[in-house]
Amino acid sequence: MGRDPPAWAPLRRSMFRALWLAQFAGNVGTWAQTVGAQWLMGDLSTSELAVALVQVATTLPVFLLVLPAGSLGDIVDRRRLLLAGQTLMFLGAGTLAALTAAHTITPASLLALIALMGVGQALCVPTFQAIQPELVDRDEIADAALLNGVNFNVARAVGPALGGLLIATVGPAATFALNATSFLAVLAVLVRWRRPQDRRPLGVERLRAAIRAGRRYVGSAPRFATVLVRSALFMVFASGLWALLPALARYQLRLDAGGYGLLLASVGLGAVLGAFGVPRLRERIGTDAVVSWSGFAYAVAMAVTGLTSSTAVAVVALLVTGVAWIAVQATLNASAQVLLPAWTRARALAYFQLVFMGGQALGGLGWGLLADLASLRAAFVVAAAALAAVTAVSMRVLPLGETGVDVSTARHWPEPVAETRPDPTDGPVLVIAEWSVPPENAAAFVRAMRPVGRARRRTGATSWGLYQDVANPTAFVETFTVATWEEHLRQHYERGTAVDGELEAYAYGLTANAGEPHVRHLIRQRGFPQ
């Protein structure tokens, strides 16, 4: 028997396969419902603003709630959170179907129910990404991200066409009923999933503290920040294609709804073709080169799409954009996932989603305005040229670098020495580590401690510093503060990673006798200003 193509290997994992198929049904239902909701609003109101508000009601809750939802995904059981989010969306779609079938739906209730479903989507989006490393092996994460991208893009081609067919033959209520049914498929898989229980020695984090911890992590993780910036730069310019494609189909190519569906299907087919080629390409030229050269390919294909008046040429060009889109998005998504430890994966991936959505929104607005002020062709060409330019700059200034770091949980700090038992809410906590460093190692020690300082901030430190004694140049003092004693204990027991331990071990090796530092923990007394 032959081996599965690399990209399809995750489908051999039974739970990943079941969830992937269920999500495909959910994605198709969501896209079909989008068409149904916009069509229904057009029947209920003659206001163009009302139709536009359907999209606002869909995306605004996700934009507003994705960061706290990501934090929830790290502090509660992820399976239960997904069940809650999918249930909310099922109830919203089911109620929408019932009210529409009974002819009692109003513009206000339509928007309210869509917004309710947006809340459910916000709960699910970062957590669905965060569970991928739990479903497949680490070396299959990139292929899993590729398959999830194929899932979304094929559904984007199938869903609107199916929605249009249902509206024409049955009515908008059928699209909402289809979507409700699709959520039942996802719920059935999640109910069957026997996810191992999370190990939290210190119990559940408070939501506000978890959000702050996620923000600190993202701000002190340069590799992950590079992925965010590369994603933002790509999305702002690449989103021009998605924003302008309906106008291109209607006005430049003079296509009807079926023709527009053909264009979307071309992108979806390109994504499927990309699933076969991208893994092999990644093995040959590396992650960074895949993202960069795919960005160039997308830019060229977008320019061709915007300039042509031939449907055949546009279809071929959109096939290329589908391949390039999936290559960039899946590779960046996988890079983000493998860089993040389990304790912060969902909340950090929420920032990835925020960048993705924000880039689409800003780009769509900007390129739409340019098309109105200049022309459709000009907007396509300027967006394509700008994408090519930022890709060229990113290759040199923002390389993705190594993503094979070991972020598995590793407890490498000794038990904190404390004669008293501080209350978990006591703080701030000042941690002082005294190091003795031979003069010949001093410069190397300072360099080695910089990434150690970032690691302290990633795991909870609100400030960090390294000092050298002017009277005894071999004496170095490291200080960092943590908001509470509980946060510091989480640094000891829950947030350490193997790569952080390696950074500290290297610094230890530069000290006198390669020994561990003398550490003290001080807690600010109550009643004194900070």
Side-chain angles (χ1 to χ4, degrees), residues 67 71 74 207-221 224 228 343-344 347-348 351 457-462:
L67 292 183
S71 295
D74 284 329
L207 180 58
R208 290 180 63 184
I211 294 172
R212 289 194 297 268
R215 185 171 61 245
R216 280 195 302 270
Y217 187 95
V218 172
S220 301
F224 182 67
L228 290 182
W343 72 268
T344 192
R347 68 192 95 176
Y351 283 89
R457 290 191 178 97
R458 281 195 297 271
T459 56
T462 56

Side-chain angles (χ1 to χ4, degrees), residues 141-379:
I141 290 176
D143 298 326
L146 197 63
L147 284 171
N148 288 331
V150 170
N151 189 320
F152 182 83
N153 282 280
V154 174
R156 175 159 47 188
V158 174
L162 182 57
L165 179 63
L166 288 173
I167 292 170
T169 56
V170 183
T175 65
F176 308 140
L178 172 68
N179 199 27
T181 305
S182 72
F183 292 130
L184 288 176
V186 181
L187 284 167
V189 174
L190 291 172
V191 167
R192 189 165 58 90
W193 183 23
R194 294 295 176 260
R195 182 176 183 265
Q197 190 172 3
D198 293 311
R199 182 178 175 274
R200 294 189 175 93
L202 299 173
V204 176
E205 292 180 68
R206 296 173 178 84
L207 180 58
R208 290 180 63 184
I211 294 172
R212 289 194 297 268
R215 185 171 61 245
R216 280 195 302 270
Y217 187 95
V218 172
S220 301
R223 288 192 181 98
F224 182 67
T226 297
V227 174
L228 290 182
V229 174
R230 290 290 294 265
S231 179
L233 290 174
F234 178 77
M235 283 307 307
V236 166
F237 301 104
S239 61
L241 176 73
W242 302 110
L244 301 175
L245 192 59
L248 179 92
R250 181 185 293 270
Y251 303 119
Q252 190 164 307
L253 300 179
R254 301 193 180 282
L255 299 175
D256 57 13
Y260 178 54
L262 173 64
L263 300 184
L264 290 176
S266 300
V267 180
L269 178 59
V272 175
L273 295 175
F276 287 97
V278 170
R280 294 183 175 88
L281 188 64
R282 188 174 58 240
E283 290 178 2
R284 294 184 61 181
I285 66 176
T287 296
D288 196 49
V290 166
V291 173
S292 299
W293 290 109
S294 297
F296 287 128
Y298 190 99
V300 171
M302 181 163 61
V304 171
T305 301
L307 290 172
T308 188
S309 298
S310 165
T311 300
V313 173
V315 165
V316 173
L318 288 170
L319 280 171
V320 176
T321 64
V323 174
W325 174 270
I326 199 72
V328 174
Q329 288 301 320
T331 303
L332 289 174
N333 190 298
S335 297
Q337 290 186 32
V338 299
L339 286 171
L340 297 170
W343 72 268
T344 192
R345 188 176 294 130
R347 68 192 95 176
L349 286 172
Y351 283 89
F352 187 85
Q353 285 297 321
L354 196 64
V355 164
F356 180 86
M357 295 171 57
Q360 276 195 314
L362 291 175
L365 176 63
W367 303 120
L369 288 173
L370 181 60
D372 275 349
L373 294 174
S375 68
L376 191 60
R377 283 189 169 93

